[in-house]
Amino acid sequence: MVFINRAKIKFIKLSRMLLIPRGHLVLDVGSGDGPFARANILCDKYISETVNRVGPISIDRPFVAGDILALPFRDNSFDYIFCSHVLEHVDDPERALNELMRVGKRGYIEMPSEFLEKLKCSPGHRWYVNINDSTLIFKEKERDVFDPFIQEVSESRLINKDKSFMKFYWSNYYTIFNIAYEWSGKINFEIFRNTTIKPSILQEQGLKKTEENRPDTEGISLKIKAAIKSIIKIIYHKDIDLYELIACPICKGSLELKEEKLFCYNCRKGYYIRDGIPILIESYSFNI
């Protein structure tokens, strides 16, 4: 029954891919180690290892190193933006959401719900998230772990360990444990900040727990998923001139390509291209 319920969620995700028209240009923001198969372009802030994901980053199609708080793309460049399990990590959700609306025409956002975050804290998550009348509600966390005892029980006995619980989890994936938010034109949101306590990011301990909680069936599931993704990538392949879409992450102006570097003469900033990947993050720029 766990397999059947999990398969239903995979089918929902597959259906979401297939509903995007073939000619539409799709961006995956925060693509990480499991990019959206339908995406034509990938964008992630971290190319090297990070505690915010378990596996190594996947770069199997046009890729840009960029920050969701300052996306390095022109206005309205994409027909659809996929953003899954990213916004709960950022310091400024309002800025990130405005960037998604600036760059894309519509899209999909997925995040863990407040209930799941309190049941099983994940490394680096800054926010509890809910949805109310088509509005995303962000509440800044007061501390990393809501309750140490609940966290311990979740880690040691429930998540990916108890079949009855996992049956309940997969059958209530989008009603209790995760939030799925489709948007077109505008993202409705409210943000409530905590002005007293700032949570620290869980480092090696959080990453270790994430690795330990991978289900036993993950190997088989990953092989099936990889085969389906390969087929989808072939079907929806699109020849793209990446440099026609990118922009300065600071001023959103045009960039000039010269000798494996990109230059913004408006900001007087330069950006490196490493192994064919534009590194369009302000903190990695240089003055010109």
Side-chain angles (χ1 to χ4, degrees):
M1 186 61 73
V2 172
F3 177 79
I4 294 174
N5 289 328
R6 188 175 182 183
K8 288 179 181 177
I9 299 302
K10 300 298 182 184
F11 179 76
I12 291 172
K13 294 185 176 184
L14 177 62
S15 300
R16 186 176 294 116
M17 295 184 196
L18 300 178
L19 286 173
I20 303 171
R22 186 166 185 174
H24 281 198
L25 190 62
V26 180
L27 171 69
D28 184 348
V29 176
S31 53
D33 58 309
F36 187 47
R38 177 61 182 82
N40 305 106
I41 294 176
L42 308 180
C43 180
D44 200 292
K45 184 177 180 180
Y46 303 103
I47 299 179
S48 58
E49 292 184 2
T50 169
V51 296
N52 293 330
R53 60 172 178 260
V54 175
I57 194 164
S58 176
I59 303 177
D60 57 359
R61 66 202 87 166
F63 184 98
V64 177
D67 189 340
I68 192 173
L69 299 179
L71 288 172
F73 300 102
R74 299 176 186 269
D75 294 357
N76 297 313
S77 295
F78 297 93
D79 299 293
Y80 192 93
I81 296 181
F82 181 82
C83 182
S84 179
H85 293 268
V86 176
L87 290 168
E88 65 272 19
H89 294 274
V90 303
D91 294 334
D92 191 345
E94 180 177 7
R95 184 176 172 186
L97 292 166
N98 284 328
E99 279 292 274
L100 294 180
M101 289 187 281
R102 179 186 67 80
V103 168
K105 300 170 185 176
R106 65 187 186 96
Y108 172 77
I109 294 169
E110 182 169 317
M111 291 171 286
S113 69
E114 180 175 0
F115 180 81
L116 179 58
E117 189 61 35
K118 288 182 175 178
L119 179 68
K120 178 187 178 297
C121 177
S122 296
H125 291 190
R126 297 290 307 275
W127 305 88
Y128 295 131
V129 187
N130 290 291
I131 186 168
N132 183 23
D133 294 331
S134 300
T135 298
L136 293 173
I137 310 296
F138 291 80
K139 296 188 297 183
E140 191 169 20
K141 293 170 65 175
E142 295 180 355
R143 51 193 180 277
D144 290 319
V145 178
F146 175 73
D147 185 297
F149 176 73
I150 293 176
Q151 175 84 1
E152 175 59 29
V153 172
S154 173
E155 295 282 356
S156 63
R157 296 181 58 183
L158 296 179
I159 303 293
N160 294 323
K161 294 177 174 65
D162 186 287
K163 290 184 178 180
S164 296
F165 177 82
M166 293 311 297
K167 175 185 174 182
F168 176 76
Y169 173 83
W170 287 108
S171 61
N172 295 278
Y173 189 83
Y174 285 126
T175 56
I176 297 179
F177 296 101
N178 288 274
I179 290 171
Y181 184 86
E182 295 273 2
W183 63 275
S184 179
K186 182 181 180 181
I187 303 171
N188 299 312
F189 63 90
E190 294 182 19
I191 297 172
F192 298 91
R193 287 195 173 274
N194 186 298
T195 59
T196 56
I197 304 174
K198 294 293 182 182
S200 62
I201 295 177
L202 298 178
Q203 297 289 343
E204 295 179 359
Q205 181 183 5
L207 180 60
K208 182 175 183 293
K209 288 181 178 178
T210 304
E211 290 173 337
E212 289 175 349
N213 272 323
R214 302 188 81 175
D216 295 336
T217 58
E218 192 71 12
I220 298 173
S221 176
L222 286 175
K223 290 179 181 178
I224 296 173
K225 186 190 298 186
I228 294 174
K229 284 187 173 183
S230 296
I231 295 171
I232 290 174
K233 283 190 293 183
I234 293 172
I235 294 174
Y236 291 98
H237 173 77
K238 188 179 181 72
D239 291 326
I240 297 167
D241 185 349
L242 185 61
Y243 294 96
E244 288 293 319
L245 297 170
I246 59 176
C248 173
I250 303 172
C251 70
K252 315 307 179 187
S254 60
L255 295 168
E256 184 173 330
L257 175 63
K258 286 184 179 180
E259 298 178 350
E260 292 299 304
K261 296 182 181 68
L262 291 160
F263 297 93
C264 175
Y265 293 106
N266 183 46
C267 293
R268 307 301 300 175
K269 290 286 187 179
Y271 302 91
Y272 296 102
I273 301 174
R274 295 175 180 166
D275 298 323
I277 298 173
I279 312 298
L280 297 178
I281 300 173
E282 183 178 358
S283 58
Y284 289 94
S285 66
F286 56 90
N287 295 323
I288 59 175

